[in-house]
mmCIF file of all heavy atoms in Angstrom:
data_model
loop_
_atom_site.group_PDB
_atom_site.id
_atom_site.type_symbol
_atom_site.label_atom_id
_atom_site.label_comp_id
_atom_site.label_asym_id
_atom_site.label_seq_id
_atom_site.Cartn_x
_atom_site.Cartn_y
_atom_site.Cartn_z
ATOM 1 N N GLU S 1580 6.225 15.870 30.529
ATOM 2 C CA GLU S 1580 5.893 16.184 31.862
ATOM 3 C C GLU S 1580 5.520 17.659 31.999
ATOM 4 O O GLU S 1580 6.174 18.522 31.311
ATOM 5 C CB GLU S 1580 7.141 15.944 32.794
ATOM 6 C CG GLU S 1580 6.758 15.536 34.145
ATOM 7 C CD GLU S 1580 8.027 15.142 35.071
ATOM 8 O OE1 GLU S 1580 8.929 14.527 34.413
ATOM 9 O OE2 GLU S 1580 7.979 15.451 36.269
ATOM 10 N N GLY S 1581 4.418 18.089 32.782
ATOM 11 C CA GLY S 1581 3.947 19.369 32.950
ATOM 12 C C GLY S 1581 4.924 20.145 33.794
ATOM 13 O O GLY S 1581 5.860 19.602 34.487
ATOM 14 N N PRO S 1582 4.830 21.492 33.791
ATOM 15 C CA PRO S 1582 3.908 22.171 32.967
ATOM 16 C C PRO S 1582 4.296 22.219 31.436
ATOM 17 O O PRO S 1582 5.427 22.831 31.198
ATOM 18 C CB PRO S 1582 3.922 23.539 33.613
ATOM 19 C CG PRO S 1582 5.246 23.773 34.251
ATOM 20 C CD PRO S 1582 5.702 22.344 34.542
ATOM 21 N N ALA S 1583 3.499 21.809 30.586
ATOM 22 C CA ALA S 1583 3.750 21.897 29.207
ATOM 23 C C ALA S 1583 2.538 21.359 28.405
ATOM 24 O O ALA S 1583 1.676 20.670 29.057
ATOM 25 C CB ALA S 1583 5.054 20.995 28.870
ATOM 26 N N THR S 1584 2.565 21.653 27.237
ATOM 27 C CA THR S 1584 1.470 20.859 26.328
ATOM 28 C C THR S 1584 2.145 19.860 25.589
ATOM 29 O O THR S 1584 3.131 20.005 24.937
ATOM 30 C CB THR S 1584 0.803 22.045 25.441
ATOM 31 O OG1 THR S 1584 0.320 23.054 26.202
ATOM 32 C CG2 THR S 1584 -0.258 21.433 24.639
ATOM 33 N N ALA S 1585 1.545 18.692 25.552
ATOM 34 C CA ALA S 1585 1.905 17.569 24.823
ATOM 35 C C ALA S 1585 1.507 17.759 23.325
ATOM 36 O O ALA S 1585 0.263 17.872 23.111
ATOM 37 C CB ALA S 1585 1.456 16.267 25.371
ATOM 38 N N TYR S 1586 2.350 17.945 22.431
ATOM 39 C CA TYR S 1586 2.049 17.979 20.995
ATOM 40 C C TYR S 1586 2.416 16.815 20.179
ATOM 41 O O TYR S 1586 3.265 15.918 20.641
ATOM 42 C CB TYR S 1586 2.834 19.271 20.389
ATOM 43 C CG TYR S 1586 2.337 20.578 20.824
ATOM 44 C CD1 TYR S 1586 2.954 21.326 21.835
ATOM 45 C CD2 TYR S 1586 1.156 21.161 20.213
ATOM 46 C CE1 TYR S 1586 2.466 22.554 22.280
ATOM 47 C CE2 TYR S 1586 0.692 22.382 20.667
ATOM 48 C CZ TYR S 1586 1.388 23.093 21.701
ATOM 49 O OH TYR S 1586 0.960 24.412 21.961
ATOM 50 N N SER S 1587 1.747 16.724 19.004
ATOM 51 C CA SER S 1587 2.031 15.505 18.203
ATOM 52 C C SER S 1587 3.459 15.427 17.818
ATOM 53 O O SER S 1587 3.937 14.421 17.640
ATOM 54 C CB SER S 1587 1.170 15.711 16.874
ATOM 55 O OG SER S 1587 1.421 16.790 16.225
ATOM 56 N N GLY S 1588 4.134 16.628 17.798
ATOM 57 C CA GLY S 1588 5.568 16.670 17.436
ATOM 58 C C GLY S 1588 6.365 16.069 18.547
ATOM 59 O O GLY S 1588 7.542 15.613 18.351
ATOM 60 N N ASP S 1589 5.914 15.703 19.754
ATOM 61 C CA ASP S 1589 6.512 15.144 20.827
ATOM 62 C C ASP S 1589 6.586 13.639 20.784
ATOM 63 O O ASP S 1589 7.224 12.892 21.410
ATOM 64 C CB ASP S 1589 6.003 15.590 22.150
ATOM 65 C CG ASP S 1589 6.091 17.005 22.416
ATOM 66 O OD1 ASP S 1589 7.103 17.649 22.111
ATOM 67 O OD2 ASP S 1589 5.149 17.513 22.967
ATOM 68 N N ILE S 1590 5.755 13.065 19.798
ATOM 69 C CA ILE S 1590 5.633 11.664 19.595
ATOM 70 C C ILE S 1590 6.831 11.087 18.902
ATOM 71 O O ILE S 1590 7.267 11.727 17.821
ATOM 72 C CB ILE S 1590 4.350 11.237 18.828
ATOM 73 C CG1 ILE S 1590 3.108 11.664 19.577
ATOM 74 C CG2 ILE S 1590 4.287 9.803 18.596
ATOM 75 C CD1 ILE S 1590 1.785 11.501 18.789
ATOM 76 N N GLU S 1591 7.458 10.085 19.522
ATOM 77 C CA GLU S 1591 8.795 9.442 18.926
ATOM 78 C C GLU S 1591 8.224 8.228 18.231
ATOM 79 O O GLU S 1591 7.409 7.450 18.686
ATOM 80 C CB GLU S 1591 9.658 9.144 20.088
ATOM 81 C CG GLU S 1591 9.993 10.142 20.909
ATOM 82 C CD GLU S 1591 11.248 11.055 20.497
ATOM 83 O OE1 GLU S 1591 11.792 10.541 19.499
ATOM 84 O OE2 GLU S 1591 11.433 12.046 21.081
ATOM 85 N N SER S 1592 8.860 7.974 16.928
ATOM 86 C CA SER S 1592 8.339 6.926 16.209
ATOM 87 C C SER S 1592 9.559 5.876 16.112
ATOM 88 O O SER S 1592 10.706 6.270 16.102
ATOM 89 C CB SER S 1592 7.959 7.154 14.839
ATOM 90 O OG SER S 1592 7.672 6.070 14.006
ATOM 91 N N ALA S 1593 9.319 4.626 16.155
ATOM 92 C CA ALA S 1593 10.215 3.588 16.033
ATOM 93 C C ALA S 1593 10.721 3.506 14.473
ATOM 94 O O ALA S 1593 11.716 2.847 14.196
ATOM 95 C CB ALA S 1593 9.858 2.354 16.473
ATOM 96 N N GLU S 1594 9.877 3.980 13.736
ATOM 97 C CA GLU S 1594 10.111 3.959 12.213
ATOM 98 C C GLU S 1594 10.170 5.383 11.675
ATOM 99 O O GLU S 1594 9.123 6.035 11.686
ATOM 100 C CB GLU S 1594 9.018 3.160 11.617
ATOM 101 C CG GLU S 1594 9.073 2.973 10.204
ATOM 102 C CD GLU S 1594 10.325 2.207 9.707
ATOM 103 O OE1 GLU S 1594 10.317 0.998 9.925
ATOM 104 O OE2 GLU S 1594 11.122 2.809 9.192
ATOM 105 N N ALA S 1595 11.360 5.862 11.221
ATOM 106 C CA ALA S 1595 11.457 7.163 10.800
ATOM 107 C C ALA S 1595 10.526 7.555 9.653
ATOM 108 O O ALA S 1595 10.115 8.774 9.548
ATOM 109 C CB ALA S 1595 12.853 7.488 10.353
ATOM 110 N N MET S 1596 10.057 6.632 8.880
ATOM 111 C CA MET S 1596 9.203 6.908 7.685
ATOM 112 C C MET S 1596 7.723 7.164 8.108
ATOM 113 O O MET S 1596 7.026 7.786 7.398
ATOM 114 C CB MET S 1596 9.127 5.778 6.747
ATOM 115 C CG MET S 1596 10.453 5.564 6.008
ATOM 116 S SD MET S 1596 10.359 4.131 4.869
ATOM 117 C CE MET S 1596 10.335 2.739 5.986
ATOM 118 N N VAL S 1597 7.350 6.631 9.365
ATOM 119 C CA VAL S 1597 6.049 6.873 9.894
ATOM 120 C C VAL S 1597 6.162 7.813 11.146
ATOM 121 O O VAL S 1597 6.537 7.278 12.167
ATOM 122 C CB VAL S 1597 5.370 5.583 10.298
ATOM 123 C CG1 VAL S 1597 3.988 5.731 10.833
ATOM 124 C CG2 VAL S 1597 5.317 4.606 9.091
ATOM 125 N N GLU S 1598 5.774 8.996 10.944
ATOM 126 C CA GLU S 1598 5.917 10.036 12.013
ATOM 127 C C GLU S 1598 4.681 10.950 11.811
ATOM 128 O O GLU S 1598 4.065 10.896 10.832
ATOM 129 C CB GLU S 1598 7.190 10.732 12.044
ATOM 130 C CG GLU S 1598 7.541 11.387 10.634
ATOM 131 C CD GLU S 1598 8.803 12.125 10.625
ATOM 132 O OE1 GLU S 1598 9.601 11.979 11.522
ATOM 133 O OE2 GLU S 1598 8.839 12.970 9.632
ATOM 134 N N PRO S 1599 4.453 11.759 12.824
ATOM 135 C CA PRO S 1599 3.289 12.730 12.727
ATOM 136 C C PRO S 1599 3.471 13.661 11.581
ATOM 137 O O PRO S 1599 4.589 14.239 11.473
ATOM 138 C CB PRO S 1599 3.222 13.376 14.080
ATOM 139 C CG PRO S 1599 3.857 12.500 15.101
ATOM 140 C CD PRO S 1599 4.889 11.791 14.354
ATOM 141 N N ALA S 1600 2.496 13.783 10.707
ATOM 142 C CA ALA S 1600 2.515 14.675 9.623
ATOM 143 C C ALA S 1600 2.604 16.149 10.015
ATOM 144 O O ALA S 1600 3.286 16.921 9.283
ATOM 145 C CB ALA S 1600 1.414 14.456 8.627
ATOM 146 N N ASP S 1601 1.961 16.456 11.153
ATOM 147 C CA ASP S 1601 2.204 17.870 11.626
ATOM 148 C C ASP S 1601 2.702 17.746 13.144
ATOM 149 O O ASP S 1601 2.399 16.793 13.838
ATOM 150 C CB ASP S 1601 0.686 18.483 11.661
ATOM 151 C CG ASP S 1601 0.073 18.655 10.286
ATOM 152 O OD1 ASP S 1601 0.721 19.339 9.496
ATOM 153 O OD2 ASP S 1601 -0.876 18.012 9.956
ATOM 154 N N GLU S 1602 3.488 18.755 13.402
ATOM 155 C CA GLU S 1602 3.949 18.640 14.771
ATOM 156 C C GLU S 1602 3.335 19.582 15.819
ATOM 157 O O GLU S 1602 3.667 19.596 16.897
ATOM 158 C CB GLU S 1602 5.571 18.775 14.842
ATOM 159 C CG GLU S 1602 6.032 19.963 13.979
ATOM 160 C CD GLU S 1602 7.516 19.982 13.912
ATOM 161 O OE1 GLU S 1602 8.023 18.907 13.582
ATOM 162 O OE2 GLU S 1602 8.092 21.062 14.137
#
Side-chain angles (χ1 to χ4, degrees):
Chain S
E1580 209 174 324
T1584 301
Y1586 286 100
S1587 58
D1589 299 321
I1590 297 174
E1591 308 272 348
S1592 175
E1594 178 61 73
M1596 291 181 288
V1597 180
E1598 52 176 21
D1601 295 295
E1602 46 189 49

